[in-house]
Amino acid sequence: MDYGRFADMTQDIMNSRCVYLYGQGEARGNCYNMQRELKYMNVSVLILDGRLQEDVMFEAQDLLIVCSTSGQLFEYNRRRVRKLKQMPVRKWLITWNANISFCHNQLVISSLDSSCNEMIMTYVIHTVLMHAETL
């Protein structure tokens, strides 16, 4: 994992007016965990509708974080990915799939055993949140 990207993402979270989260399947649970922890730090957080049916009015200081453990979102839901890409907001992707090209800001988590990817992603997200508390 690129720790410089890790620090950049943490800084972006803490400098945002509102953090929007998007994840499907097992990654959605990580979104709920992030929402709970960031609210304790007085960061405004909203989890986007899973089908992206609601239109969101983003502001200049907002941030969108997309969690995709395996990258299946990008293989099977191209319409949703296109809609996420078109959202006029700063974006971060957290994934272990290094082959995804979603946005400039991506935190790619390396893993030698794919059976542990969900647990590793949860650990990394908790570490990001703990680092954010120190800022």
Side-chain angles (χ1 to χ4, degrees), residues 100-118:
I100 298 172
S101 177
F102 173 67
C103 61
H104 175 70
N105 297 315
Q106 297 189 172
L107 183 62
V108 178
I109 304 163
S110 300
S111 173
L112 298 176
D113 183 358
S114 62
S115 67
C116 299
N117 287 339
E118 178 62 27

Side-chain angles (χ1 to χ4, degrees), residues 35-48:
Q35 180 185 42
R36 183 185 64 243
E37 296 299 323
L38 288 171
K39 284 194 176 213
Y40 288 136
M41 291 182 258
N42 294 318
V43 175
S44 180
V45 182
L46 293 171
I47 296 177
L48 295 179

Side-chain angles (χ1 to χ4, degrees), residues 43-56:
V43 175
S44 180
V45 182
L46 293 171
I47 296 177
L48 295 179
D49 167 36
R51 294 185 180 184
L52 298 174
Q53 293 177 339
E54 297 175 21
D55 288 327
V56 180

Side-chain angles (χ1 to χ4, degrees), residues 5-54:
R5 305 297 295 159
F6 176 91
D8 291 343
M9 183 177 142
T10 305
Q11 195 69 42
D12 266 1
I13 290 170
M14 297 312 292
N15 290 335
S16 296
R17 181 195 70 87
C18 183
V19 175
Y20 293 88
L21 303 171
Y22 184 80
Q24 289 186 308
E26 60 230 10
R28 193 141 179 100
N30 282 322
C31 291
Y32 288 113
N33 289 335
M34 288 177 72
Q35 180 185 42
R36 183 185 64 243
E37 296 299 323
L38 288 171
K39 284 194 176 213
Y40 288 136
M41 291 182 258
N42 294 318
V43 175
S44 180
V45 182
L46 293 171
I47 296 177
L48 295 179
D49 167 36
R51 294 185 180 184
L52 298 174
Q53 293 177 339
E54 297 175 21

